[in-house]
Amino acid sequence: MIFMKKRRLKKIGEALDLPSEYVAQCSKITVTDYKALEILNFKNIIEYTEKIIRINATDKIIKVSGAGLVIDNITDDRIALSGEINSLSFE
């Protein structure tokens, strides 16, 4: 049911030329030069160390692994991380 609603909202957003991360509340992940990462539309932080950060996104858990990882900025729906990013996986 929820999947069908998201799909419908995504189609409406495409017809109106709106970004899907805002219309259907999809997460958007941006990685810059393996040193910075930004996630739009996340729920909460599950784990936070300098080697691993796990974030509960809209429908999956995002795991960022690396060294010297820090949270640079956080708002209600956006989180920005930096450090040496070695891997990005989804659980």
Side-chain angles (χ1 to χ4, degrees):
M1 174 95 172
I2 293 172
F3 177 73
M4 291 177 68
K5 183 178 179 183
K6 276 189 174 184
R7 191 167 53 183
R8 250 187 258 134
L9 286 172
K10 191 172 181 178
K11 284 183 181 183
I12 292 168
E14 287 172 358
L16 297 173
D17 200 26
L18 298 171
S20 63
E21 62 269 15
Y22 295 110
V23 176
Q25 291 298 305
C26 298
S27 293
K28 179 179 180 181
I29 303 167
T30 306
V31 179
T32 307
D33 197 31
Y34 305 104
K35 302 267 186 227
L37 181 134
E38 181 181 76
I39 302 171
L40 294 177
N41 294 330
F42 80 101
K43 293 180 182 176
N44 55 19
I45 300 166
I46 298 170
E47 180 179 358
Y48 176 45
T49 69
E50 69 175 29
K51 293 183 180 183
I52 294 173
I53 299 176
R54 292 175 62 225
I55 297 168
N56 189 6
T58 54
D59 60 346
K60 294 198 182 273
I61 294 172
I62 300 167
K63 180 179 176 183
V64 182
S65 300
L69 299 175
V70 294
I71 296 174
D72 293 325
N73 194 348
I74 188 168
T75 65
D76 289 343
D77 64 348
R78 184 181 85 72
I79 186 166
L81 315 173
S82 65
E84 183 182 321
I85 299 169
N86 296 327
S87 71
L88 181 64
S89 61
F90 305 95
E91 302 173 353

